[in-house]
Amino acid sequence: MMMILGYPAPLLFGQLLLGLINGAFYAMLSLGLAVIFGMLNIINFAHGALFMMGAFVAWMLLNYLGIGYFPALILAPLIVGAFGMVLERTLIRPLYKLDHLYGLLLTFGVALVIEGLFRNAYGSSGMPYQIPAVLGGGTNLGFMFLPNYRAWVVLVAIVMCLGTWLVIEKTRLGALLRAATENPAMVQAFGVNVPRLITLTYGGGVALAAFAGVLAAPIYSVNPNMGTSFINVVFAVVVIGGMGSILGSILTGFGLGVIEGLTKVFYPQASSTVIFLVMVIVLLARPGGLFGKAA
Amino acid sequence: MGITRRALLATVPLLGATGARAATEAPVDPVRIGVLTDLSGPYRDVTGPTSVACVRQAAAEFTRMLPGIAIEVIAGDHQNKADIGVAIVREWFDRGGVDMVIDVPTSSVALAVAAVAAEKNKVYVNSGAGTPDLTGSACNANTVKWTFDTYMLAKSTATAVVREGGQSWFFITPDYVFGHQLQRDATRFLTASGGTVLGAAVYPFPETTDFSSYLVQARASGAKVIAFCNAGNDTVNSIKQAREFGLGGPGQMLAGLLASLGVVHSLGLEAGRDLLLTESFYWNLNQRTRAFTSRLLAGSGGTIYPNMAQAGCYAGALHYLKAVAALGVAQAREDGAGVVAEMKRLPYDDDAFGQGLIRADGRALVPAYLFRVKSPPESTGPWDLYRLIATLPGEQAAPPLAEEHCKLIPA
């Protein structure tokens, strides 16, 4: 058997692949956060709760209305996105002129309320959500057994991340958005409805979180705390990638997933802290983050 | 004006009340039971509100038998933190007039509360925590341990799994006391039965949700048994992901060392099928357990069927109240250790656990049942989840007194 650094190569390759899968979730979640921060200057602490809502809406669609996984993949983000837009219109909007801290506190409170409501209604141990039959089973890659569903998650996540990046960097809509961030008054003068654009952006960022939630539902049990466990890591990803940098958050998300995966081979107990270690090092060397503009 | 029948009837309760008051002179403070549990965290569903409902059920049934003793049940959320749990219990004992604390899942909190109960000479019935130290090195005269401990789980499940041909083991263990204790106990029993341990993956607790790395290691080890030493949501997530990674197929067994009814219900039968696990209570064991469960569901309006920890809250509270009645409320209030001594003297008898004794170290000798989770076609309803495989009598399911080093037992 081939050995790398004293470890069997199949084990390392396996963990690399698993890291990539986790990275897919980090990337999708931090992408939504980066879009919202980049365009709205709001640190959206409710992101984890909205991710959880996505998973719960998928579960509700299945159990109350008999709507399966694939339609839910589209419907749940739309429903949660609409909820996000209501949130933006009613609660978040008045805070744009204030310090970042107010938005952070508000969204943190919103997250606690949403999680509390779901915990009250559904308990904390979670609801089962089966992997759709088409994506069940797995493939033996020789060095590891890869469940088909996980392969699907990576594939969809990459498509989604690239799609979002293209929309923001290469389309007219994206150009308008970036312009509105830069100088809202000027863009408004050209006849663009900037407040609506901002509401839609928030809705879009939230929909991305909900989409990741639906993808996560069959892997993790659908429970009110599922967002909390991700959100800390995801914030670290956004900070390392550079606050508001779209491409930065995507690449960092996948990259950190891989680093975390490898740590699980060499020293598993440290796997939950290694990301924060990277964060400290990056912030010392480049305070603006890897892909951020100078702070 | 003539006396109407209604007016006459209205005086009846009044008469009763004056009679009671005359007997005891002053209005009596009710016997207060505090349910200290996890109302918001990962153990909410395996203890939590259903534990509270079980204690209320015991109080209601006791009141029907002996209406003279007033009972009040209150609940507190310890958030799985020892400092918060201790603060609540001190407040209850010092100012809240609480006489007895029950449930207390999470071993670290459970051990801290035991010390407070002894210091204040109150009664402490633990049902929800797994640590055997409550009747061992940390035992005291004010504590009763109902339902289960890691010794019982390990002995029942590990021995049975090896007997069924599960010779080689791989553990998936959370990196904290409970996980290590469970793995240690299981290792002891499986090696005693001729099994071997091929490896263990110790994961950071509580921040792990993705178990794939550890499951891939488990698969690579080639072990015949993958044993999960975790609880609550962790168990649900890790077993679900184990199925996804093709573990537990032909020739390989999954063993949940602390998987209870709610966990299996969350998992679903597709992911949970054939899992071996141990509980000391199941709603569908016999006529009495079924009767208890239907009374509980009707009384609380709940839809969650109780597991062993929750049923233990019912049985523990009921037995406590019987001891209080035997001693008289005033004396019971004064001396918690005296009530516990009375609880040990009286045999317990309830619909959830049947009849039995509480040993000198405070351990209620309840039988341990080994179950296999049904497959989807076998199950006839959402809570029809277990098939009984074997029963371990109460005396054998509890840690031997000689090994416990409990200071209540003369060496």
Side-chain angles (χ1 to χ4, degrees), chain B residues 4 30 35 44 51 59 71 97 99 113 146 199 220-221 261 361:
Chain B
T4 63
V35 189
R44 181 186 189 273
S51 287
I71 307 161
D99 304 294
V113 168
W146 216 282
S221 76
L261 194 70
D361 61 342

Side-chain angles (χ1 to χ4, degrees), chain A residues 239 282-289 293-295:
Chain A
V239 171
V282 167
L283 288 185
L284 282 176
R286 284 182 64 105
K293 299 172 189 77

Side-chain angles (χ1 to χ4, degrees), chain A residues 7-8 10-12 14-16 18 143-145 260-269 271, chain B residues 169-173 198-204 210-226 241-242 245 247 252:
Chain A
Y7 289 87
L11 186 62
L12 281 182
Q15 299 299 351
L16 267 177
L18 290 172
F143 60 89
M144 73 169 278
F145 180 89
E260 195 188 44
L262 288 180
T263 314
K264 285 176 180 167
V265 184
F266 296 114
Y267 190 63
Q269 285 87 335
S271 60
Chain B
W169 287 54
F170 190 93
F171 287 103
I172 303 219
T173 305
L198 293 185
V202 179
Y203 66 84
D210 179 64
F211 294 91
S212 44
S213 294
Y214 314 112
L215 295 166
V216 168
Q217 291 175 34
R219 194 185 165 93
S221 76
K224 279 185 158 177
V225 182
I226 314 295
Q241 293 173 24
F245 278 86
L247 294 168
Q252 193 172 51

Side-chain angles (χ1 to χ4, degrees), chain A:
Chain A
M1 194 186 286
M2 195 172 78
M3 302 290 273
I4 300 172
L5 298 172
Y7 289 87
L11 186 62
L12 281 182
F13 288 144
Q15 299 299 351
L16 267 177
L17 191 59
L18 290 172
L20 216 55
I21 296 167
N22 275 350
F25 281 109
Y26 296 155
M28 267 187 299
L29 281 172
S30 52
L31 180 62
L33 270 184
V35 169
I36 291 173
F37 183 78
M39 308 289 152
L40 281 70
N41 265 338
I42 285 280
I43 302 173
N44 188 31
F45 242 91
H47 218 64
L50 295 162
F51 161 80
M52 175 271 289
M53 262 182 90
F56 257 103
V57 168
W59 180 86
M60 288 173 186
L61 286 172
L62 181 69
N63 284 276
Y64 299 146
L65 302 171
I67 296 172
Y69 174 80
F70 290 102
L73 213 46
I74 296 167
L75 284 176
L78 288 179
I79 294 169
V80 180
F83 173 81
M85 286 193 252
V86 174
L87 206 65
E88 194 272 342
R89 283 261 153 147
T90 52
L91 292 176
I92 298 175
R93 177 156 297 180
L95 300 179
Y96 288 142
K97 291 185 195 71
L98 301 175
D99 192 75
H100 288 328
L101 205 56
Y102 290 90
L104 188 149
L105 284 176
L106 174 84
T107 50
F108 184 60
V110 168
L112 290 181
V113 170
I114 295 175
E115 285 175 2
L117 288 175
F118 274 95
R119 193 178 297 130
N120 217 31
Y122 295 100
S124 65
S125 64
M127 305 294 180
Y129 194 96
Q130 299 303 339
I131 292 174
V134 198
L135 298 171
T139 318
N140 200 339
L141 301 177
F143 60 89
M144 73 169 278
F145 180 89
L146 177 67
N148 292 341
Y149 187 77
R150 304 244 173 179
W152 157 259
V153 167
V154 175
L155 209 69
V156 172
I158 291 174
V159 170
M160 208 62 200
C161 289
L162 283 180
T164 311
W165 180 74
L166 281 175
V167 166
I168 289 178
E169 298 291 334
K170 305 286 173 201
T171 64
R172 193 183 136 71
L173 179 70
L176 273 179
L177 267 175
R178 282 176 290 138
T181 324
E182 207 68 34
N183 191 339
M186 183 69 87
V187 177
Q188 188 115 30
F190 282 125
V192 177
N193 187 342
V194 173
R196 189 202 286 160
L197 203 60
I198 287 180
T199 307
L200 285 173
T201 310
Y202 189 79
V206 167
L208 272 174
F211 184 81
V214 183
L215 280 181
I219 298 185
Y220 311 113
S221 71
V222 180
N223 76 73
N225 306 322
M226 63 192 289
T228 324
S229 40
F230 267 108
I231 199 74
N232 290 338
V233 173
V234 169
F235 267 101
V237 169
V238 174
V239 171
I240 295 169
M243 292 295 285
S245 160
I246 308 286
L247 198 61
S249 65
I250 297 174
L251 293 178
T252 318
F254 280 105
L256 284 182
V258 169
I259 291 178
E260 195 188 44
L262 288 180
T263 314
K264 285 176 180 167
V265 184
F266 296 114
Y267 190 63
Q269 285 87 335
S271 60
S272 59
T273 36
V274 68
I275 286 180
F276 300 98
L277 197 69
V278 174
M279 184 170 91
V280 169
I281 295 169
V282 167
L283 288 185
L284 282 176
R286 284 182 64 105
L290 287 178
F291 298 82
K293 299 172 189 77

